Amino acid sequence: MSLADIREQIKVVLVGVPGIGVVHDYERMAIDRNKFLDLYKDASGRINGCTFAREKRPKKQMTMGETEKAHVFVIRRIMGLKDAEATGIIFDDHLESLGDAFDDDDTLNDACRTINPDWGPMEGSVGLQIETIEPRMFGGVLCHYAECRLCVIEAQEN
């Protein structure tokens, strides 16, 4: 288990969700607005994608046992808003598919111990937590926005 393996498997799960669009395994930035928006456009030219990055990393040693790290990742999902196409319903349904994808693999293809922590900043959480769902301006464009958190427990032998 390593941080690189964990990051790779989070991306594998995200890419496997139908309709996810562009997936970045780090937060993307650009000074130019158009270049920034292009980073999130899918093959059809629509703003549709997500980024994820690590937010926290507490560490705990079990008495006379292993050390565990709790990597907390923030996943930000963005999709262009088109009221006439009821994209709010599409986006909400897509978030359920996103959560289900993580529920189907609680060890991230054996890259971690679990994504269902029993200690740490997300103790008692099961899989992906969708914490914010709202319309938001993104590069000057009105979009659907969701912010999710995933706690990945990595075990290390002492």
Side-chain angles (χ1 to χ4, degrees), residues 13-79:
V13 172
L14 289 170
V15 168
V17 176
I20 192 74
V22 180
V23 176
H24 298 289
D25 57 2
Y26 64 100
E27 290 190 50
R28 300 299 307 265
M29 302 287 170
I31 294 172
D32 180 89
R33 176 184 172 268
N34 291 327
K35 288 181 182 179
F36 177 67
L37 291 174
D38 286 344
L39 294 170
Y40 293 89
K41 288 184 179 175
D42 64 16
S44 70
R46 179 183 190 139
I47 296 171
N48 183 30
C50 70
T51 66
F52 68 95
R54 192 167 60 151
E55 176 183 61
K56 297 178 185 180
R57 193 221 67 169
K59 188 174 173 179
K60 171 182 169 179
Q61 181 173 347
M62 311 301 276
T63 304
M64 304 299 291
E66 294 177 310
T67 299
E68 288 186 344
K69 293 179 187 176
H71 304 281
V72 177
F73 288 89
V74 177
I75 299 170
R76 292 180 173 90
R77 175 79 175 97
I78 300 134
M79 187 176 88

Side-chain angles (χ1 to χ4, degrees), residues 4-156:
D5 293 334
I6 290 167
R7 187 177 282 114
E8 179 182 333
Q9 292 308 311
I10 291 172
K11 189 169 185 176
V12 165
V13 172
L14 289 170
V15 168
V17 176
I20 192 74
V22 180
V23 176
H24 298 289
D25 57 2
Y26 64 100
E27 290 190 50
R28 300 299 307 265
M29 302 287 170
I31 294 172
D32 180 89
R33 176 184 172 268
N34 291 327
K35 288 181 182 179
F36 177 67
L37 291 174
D38 286 344
L39 294 170
Y40 293 89
K41 288 184 179 175
D42 64 16
S44 70
R46 179 183 190 139
I47 296 171
N48 183 30
C50 70
T51 66
F52 68 95
R54 192 167 60 151
E55 176 183 61
K56 297 178 185 180
R57 193 221 67 169
K59 188 174 173 179
K60 171 182 169 179
Q61 181 173 347
M62 311 301 276
T63 304
M64 304 299 291
E66 294 177 310
T67 299
E68 288 186 344
K69 293 179 187 176
H71 304 281
V72 177
F73 288 89
V74 177
I75 299 170
R76 292 180 173 90
R77 175 79 175 97
I78 300 134
M79 187 176 88
L81 190 153
K82 289 189 179 180
D83 183 71
E85 294 178 15
T87 55
I89 293 170
I90 295 166
F91 187 73
D92 202 36
D93 290 346
H94 190 264
L95 291 175
E96 282 304 303
S97 297
L98 192 61
D100 292 347
F102 283 98
D103 288 345
D104 291 343
D105 187 1
D106 66 349
T107 65
L108 299 176
N109 297 312
D110 296 324
C112 70
R113 174 163 282 166
T114 186
I115 59 170
N116 304 319
D118 61 4
W119 69 275
M122 292 181 63
E123 178 180 349
S125 297
V126 177
L128 186 73
Q129 303 298 304
I130 303 170
E131 297 184 350
T132 303
I133 304 170
E134 64 188 16
R136 191 177 276 193
M137 294 301 287
F138 184 76
V141 178
L142 186 59
C143 291
H144 299 285
Y145 173 86
E147 191 168 287
C148 312
R149 283 186 172 62
L150 181 73
C151 185
V152 179
I153 301 295
E154 175 189 7
Q156 297 179 320

